[in-house]
Amino acid sequence: MNGRSAQALSTVMVRCTARLRVAQVGYLLFFVAAWADWYRAHPAALAGPVVVLVWGVLFAAHLRRRPRRAMVVADVAVAALVALATGWPDA
């Protein structure tokens, strides 16, 4: 694969990742709206969706500029923290 092909592939991958992140933010907003009554009864529980929403918007905006490896590492760290903070029901 020559340099132009690799650059084109990289550009497409970054654009797809940004679009997927925007879709994730949209799904999150839909989910919070669907469970609005529960979130009104548990306002502290909105902290998680707010963190994910803000991070998703910042990440997608940053991808439009110039993606860096540090942002990918930070994205994985945020996802891991959100997953660890999730209360899983007993199986």
Side-chain angles (χ1 to χ4, degrees):
M1 183 180 298
N2 65 22
R4 292 177 125 185
S5 298
Q7 186 177 9
L9 178 62
S10 177
T11 301
V12 169
M13 288 172 49
V14 168
R15 286 181 184 168
C16 287
T17 301
R19 287 180 181 163
L20 282 172
R21 187 53 56 102
V22 169
Q24 175 196 14
V25 167
Y27 177 77
L28 177 65
L29 290 173
F30 174 77
F31 184 86
V32 170
W35 287 88
D37 292 336
W38 187 86
Y39 281 111
R40 274 190 218 103
H42 304 89
L46 271 175
V50 168
V51 168
V52 173
L53 177 74
V54 170
W55 177 252
V57 170
L58 289 174
F59 187 74
H62 183 75
L63 281 177
R64 295 190 53 79
R65 290 188 210 132
R66 188 168 183 210
R68 300 256 185 213
R69 185 171 291 164
M71 281 299 285
V72 174
V73 172
D75 188 47
V76 171
V78 169
L81 289 174
V82 169
L84 290 172
T86 302
W88 294 97
D90 294 332

